[in-house]
Amino acid sequence: MADATVEVNRDTCIVSGMCASLAPDIFDIDDDGTRLEILRPTVPPELMDDARSAEACCPVSAITVTIEEG
Ligand code: SF4
């Protein structure tokens, strides 16, 4: 299975923390709770389900997961 990339629209993100709860290996919220960090912008196959869950559950649809071609 190909790797995927994950992107977040920071204009839309409300830093709810939902993605960090569902996919803690990919997303994290900084210590003061004001900024989302993307730990793994390239998502390996074993974390794909977590990435898809975060994409589906983001309350403002700010996450886009794209499968890399090739
Ligand atoms: S779930 Fe969506 S709104 Fe919440 S921190 Fe992640 S990207 Fe931002």
Side-chain angles (χ1 to χ4, degrees):
M1 186 186 299
D3 283 350
T5 57
V6 63
E7 296 175 292
V8 171
N9 183 339
R10 294 189 180 278
D11 292 335
T12 307
C13 173
I14 57 172
V15 199
S16 69
M18 180 70 77
C19 57
S21 295
L22 293 169
D25 293 323
I26 303 172
F27 302 100
D28 192 22
I29 304 295
D30 71 357
D31 289 342
D32 57 10
T34 59
R35 182 174 169 83
L36 173 67
E37 308 283 352
I38 303 176
L39 305 175
R40 301 287 293 271
T42 300
V43 180
E46 62 268 26
L47 294 179
M48 195 60 190
D49 286 350
D50 287 359
R52 288 291 193 203
S53 293
E55 180 184 42
C57 294
C58 174
V60 292
S61 301
I63 299 173
T64 302
V65 178
T66 305
I67 304 290
E68 293 184 353
E69 298 296 331

